[in-house]
Amino acid sequence: MSTPEPIAAPSDFVRDIITADLASGKHARIVTRFPPEPNGYLHIGHAKAICIDFGTAQEFGGECHLRMDDTNPSKETMEYVESIKQDVRWLGFDWGEHFYFSADYFETMVECARTLIKNGKAYVCELTLDQWKDYRGIPTQPGKDSPSRNRPVAESLDLFARMRAGEFPDGTLCVRAKIDMASPNLHLRDPVIYRIMRAHHYRAGDKWCIYPTYDFAHPIEDALEKITHSLCTLEFEVHRPLYDWFIEALGFEAKPRQIEFSRLNVTYTVMSKRKLLELVRDGHVKGWDDPRMPTIAGLRRRGFTPESIRNFCKRVGVTKFDGFTDIALLEHCLREELNKTAPRAMAVLDPVKVIIENFPAGQVEWVDAINNPEDPAAGSRSIPFSRELYIERDDFREDAPKKYFRLAPGKEVRLRYGYFITCTGFTKDPATGDITEIRCTYDPATRGGNAPDGRKVKGTIHWVAASHAVPTEIRLYDRLFKVEHPEDVAEGVDFKANLNTDSLKVARAMMEPSPAKAPPGTRFQFERKGYFIADSQDHSESAPVFNQIVPLKDSWVKSEGM
Ligand code: ATP
Ligand code: MG
């Protein structure tokens, strides 16, 4: 591949189906939904689903509902609900008035289960889970009928009412749909639709001791909300016949169609909410919004933009193939955007002092610096130049190799937007061998970075005037995992063994004055160092804190041979 995929969404099988359904008049308007379970924060995989669910609805002038899929109460919380709303909004999508909770349909779902029982399509079963595994059998052989399968309707109705009333212990009875014990699809072998479970629900409180299963609840919710296209990930493909069976058996007028696409997997990360929760709970990261997390909240705090995430999802596309996407593609989408939009500034991450011997002490000169060479409208700013400066420690070598074009004894280099300087000497800490001070002279005729005599220097380095430098905490993030596929572990080995224990480094940087004044959440390109964002929680003018979003080097472009 020599150029990236176009940003404009190409067609795909989901869009083709929708286009056909609108053309044939099957639907006048499309309705989709995004149904997260509020048991964790949303991650980049959910962003893909959100872009597909909300994005296609938007594109076709329809609507997309946001529904909390909260049929499984034990791990769900209101904090997660709020984070989900915030993240979907931040990504740029709007559910209008269509915000729903599965739990609000529980009463209707009980009615649906009663309807199935009355029509001889469901029964109360008394097999334990272990017994049921045995009865259900294996795909190549028919299962055995539950002894409860032909229980009279009236008896099932009575038992179901008593299940709800709390007369039986957890797990003793359940309601099963009566479908086909010989089906090669195990999901059709009389699946459970209601179970007894005494659990507090964050929304419904302690009202219920019976809860519907996801397979039963989902088609009902979709049908009630008149969803036209129920887009979900491939693991639900084998559940589709069951989904259709419920819609048919319950006689809903709306006939939502389930369509599956492949999940997003990204290298160097894990995506399951259970595993992400483990990282938070065990303190491997500092919360769900830790900038190293693949959560939307983490990506936001790290400095990713909604546009870059949406563009990434477009490039990933909608397919039926499971595979891994290189995390470098996500970073590439961000760089591409920030290169155009982020103002430039100078910050020295590992400072060493430079003394300009022929520049008067106490004097400050203001030089012009361009804010964004990619955006003339961004204008320019004045930055101070003084006798004492900071440069990066690794922009100086005591013994420079031949091809080293930065600063070294006797060598001349250009200070970006400043002057040419020539190194005349340096001082070392005798104990550590570290350079403590570099001495230089400057050529006053080279202001702005060009010599009137036409002499050239090969190296240009960034710098900050010590007189005005703002000490800044810069958080440098590396990948959270050391390996491309952290979940590929030998039996008995935990995925956390693949954590990169060195994924956060803190630099005590010196920064030019203006970025310190920027409000939290402002992004900059620190010249030669990458893209940075003023931390949304810890940054202030008096104590600036920046997160590195990505370095400048684009490994995606390199790997794609662009
Ligand atoms: P997890 O395994 O992380 O807990 P989940 O599928 O149980 O994920 P849900 O909250 O139920 O999480 O997901 C809501 C929607 O997002 C579902 O329709 C699901 O298919 C979709 N989704 C979840 N993970 C991904 C992913 N990695 N790629 C694309 N879509 C995803
Ligand atoms: Mg789920």
Side-chain angles (χ1 to χ4, degrees):
M1 193 172 100
S2 58
T3 47
E5 296 297 322
I7 295 286
S11 198
D12 53 58
F13 63 93
V14 171
R15 290 184 168 81
D16 291 347
I17 291 171
I18 293 175
T19 306
D21 286 350
L22 288 171
S24 72
K26 182 174 175 192
H27 300 294
R29 187 155 188 261
I30 71 150
V31 186
T32 62
R33 89 285 169 268
F34 173 61
E37 180 175 1
N39 62 347
Y41 278 60
L42 298 181
H43 50 60
I44 182 76
H46 292 114
K48 171 178 175 172
I50 292 168
C51 287
I52 294 174
D53 297 335
F54 279 93
T56 35
Q58 208 172 52
E59 208 178 300
F60 288 92
E63 72 198 26
C64 181
H65 299 184
L66 178 60
R67 184 198 307 143
M68 298 300 116
D69 164 28
D70 53 7
T71 53
N72 188 19
S74 48
K75 294 177 190 136
E76 298 161 357
T77 69
M78 220 40 215
E79 178 200 341
Y80 295 139
V81 172
E82 290 307 323
S83 75
I84 289 168
K85 288 166 107 174
Q86 185 189 4
D87 291 348
V88 173
R89 248 189 236 122
W90 179 77
L91 277 175
F93 297 108
D94 183 11
W95 53 88
E97 60 221 36
H98 300 287
F99 179 68
Y100 303 105
F101 291 92
S102 300
D104 294 354
Y105 302 123
F106 281 173
E107 206 65 65
T108 311
M109 288 176 196
V110 166
E111 269 320 301
C112 289
R114 285 172 48 83
T115 302
L116 291 183
I117 295 173
K118 282 187 211 155
N119 295 341
K121 290 179 175 169
Y123 57 95
V124 171
C125 175
E126 57 202 24
L127 291 178
T128 63
L129 192 62
D130 281 340
Q131 287 171 322
W132 174 251
K133 279 184 191 149
D134 183 42
Y135 273 74
R136 191 177 51 178
I138 52 171
T140 48
Q141 280 167 25
K144 286 183 290 183
D145 284 1
S146 158
S148 315
R149 200 170 201 256
N150 293 314
R151 192 190 287 286
V153 167
E155 201 178 305
S156 278
L157 283 175
D158 175 59
L159 285 172
F160 184 41
R162 289 165 59 198
M163 280 169 66
R164 178 178 180 175
E167 284 187 31
F168 308 105
D170 284 12
T172 47
L173 294 180
C174 65
V175 184
R176 291 184 189 286
K178 194 171 180 177
I179 308 181
D180 180 3
M181 288 305 294
S183 171
N185 183 340
L186 292 187
H187 296 288
L188 293 177
R189 293 192 184 174
D190 291 12
V192 176
I193 63 176
Y194 256 100
R195 60 235 147 111
I196 306 175
M197 190 160 71
R198 284 171 177 76
H200 179 81
H201 191 282
Y202 74 97
R203 184 166 171 87
D206 295 311
K207 179 171 180 200
W208 298 95
C209 63
I210 54 169
Y211 285 97
T213 55
Y214 176 86
D215 277 338
F216 182 57
H218 205 75
I220 295 176
E221 296 153 9
D222 281 353
L224 291 173
E225 292 176 21
K226 299 194 164 47
I227 302 298
T228 57
H229 300 84
S230 182
L231 312 174
C232 62
T233 35
L234 277 179
E235 70 271 23
F236 294 106
E237 194 168 20
V238 285
H239 298 243
R240 192 188 334 132
L242 182 54
Y243 180 97
D244 292 342
W245 189 90
F246 283 127
I247 301 273
E248 217 37 63
L250 289 164
F252 283 110
E253 191 194 327
K255 303 261 185 279
R257 171 168 178 189
Q258 178 181 306
I259 307 168
E260 309 85 13
F261 57 85
S262 58
R263 288 178 91 82
L264 174 72
N265 300 298
V266 177
T267 55
Y268 293 99
T269 193
V270 299
M271 213 83 98
S272 113
K273 278 186 275 187
R274 182 180 61 75
K275 289 181 180 157
L276 295 175
L277 175 63
E278 245 177 273
L279 296 178
V280 174
R281 193 196 54 206
D282 299 350
H284 297 286
V285 292
K286 297 176 184 129
W288 285 99
D289 69 344
D290 186 297
R292 291 165 291 184
M293 289 282 272
T295 51
I296 314 258
L299 293 167
R300 174 167 60 235
R301 189 161 176 199
R302 177 72 171 262
F304 281 81
T305 60
E307 292 79 2
S308 64
I309 296 174
R310 291 199 306 261
N311 283 336
F312 168 73
C313 292
K314 270 184 201 157
R315 284 183 183 176
V316 166
V318 187
T319 70
K320 291 253 186 203
F321 307 109
D322 265 325
F324 273 84
T325 300
D326 191 339
I327 192 158
L329 177 61
L330 176 61
E331 294 166 354
H332 169 75
C333 291
L334 182 75
R335 282 191 193 91
E336 197 175 53
E337 179 187 337
L338 293 186
N339 181 43
K340 295 188 203 117
T341 59
R344 276 46 169 178
M346 293 202 279
V348 175
L349 272 51
D350 184 13
V352 62
K353 198 168 249 185
V354 174
I355 311 284
I356 312 289
E357 294 174 306
N358 56 341
F359 194 91
Q363 183 175 318
V364 177
E365 235 181 71
W366 294 83
V367 297
D368 264 1
I370 291 169
N371 284 334
N372 187 351
E374 300 289 322
D375 176 13
S380 64
R381 68 192 183 286
S382 289
I383 51 173
F385 186 88
S386 62
R387 179 180 163 90
E388 293 191 7
L389 312 170
Y390 292 109
I391 65 166
E392 297 287 349
R393 190 165 287 281
D394 72 357
D395 280 337
F396 175 79
R397 293 279 173 86
E398 188 181 341
D399 297 304
K402 225 174 164 183
K403 294 259 164 165
Y404 188 79
F405 299 119
R406 290 169 278 165
L407 202 58
K411 289 265 177 76
E412 188 169 49
V413 78
R414 177 189 291 109
L415 295 177
R416 177 89 159 146
Y417 300 122
Y419 293 94
F420 285 12
I421 57 170
T422 304
C423 176
T424 55
F426 60 91
T427 313
K428 247 182 175 177
D429 179 336
T432 62
D434 288 345
I435 307 287
T436 51
E437 190 181 286
I438 300 163
R439 288 183 300 282
C440 292
T441 55
Y442 86 117
D443 177 354
T446 56
R447 186 178 162 125
N450 288 305
D453 63 5
R455 79 180 184 279
K456 300 272 180 247
V457 292
K458 282 218 167 112
T460 301
I461 63 175
H462 63 281
W463 55 278
V464 168
S467 58
H468 291 68
V470 182
T472 299
E473 175 176 327
I474 292 193
R475 298 171 183 165
L476 298 160
Y477 296 105
D478 196 357
R479 308 214 186 291
L480 189 52
F481 291 94
K482 298 181 284 204
V483 295
E484 247 180 84
H485 303 295
E487 283 165 301
D488 277 3
V489 281
E491 184 131 346
V493 178
D494 190 284
F495 77 100
K496 294 197 286 308
N498 285 325
L499 274 167
N500 173 7
T501 50
D502 221 10
S503 55
L504 168 61
K505 290 201 180 83
V506 174
R508 306 282 162 203
M510 288 296 182
M511 186 172 69
E512 65 166 271
S514 58
K517 298 189 185 78
T522 312
R523 298 175 184 84
F524 290 91
Q525 183 196 102
F526 290 157
E527 301 224 9
R528 298 175 66 220
K529 287 291 161 190
Y531 294 99
F532 294 80
I533 185 168
D535 188 65
S536 58
Q537 291 176 27
D538 301 334
H539 172 82
S540 68
E541 185 175 350
S542 57
V545 178
F546 279 80
N547 300 322
Q548 182 177 48
I549 316 173
V550 279
L552 286 179
K553 197 167 143 250
D554 195 329
S555 56
W556 173 256
V557 175
K558 200 172 123 223
S559 71
E560 294 302 295
M562 282 166 55

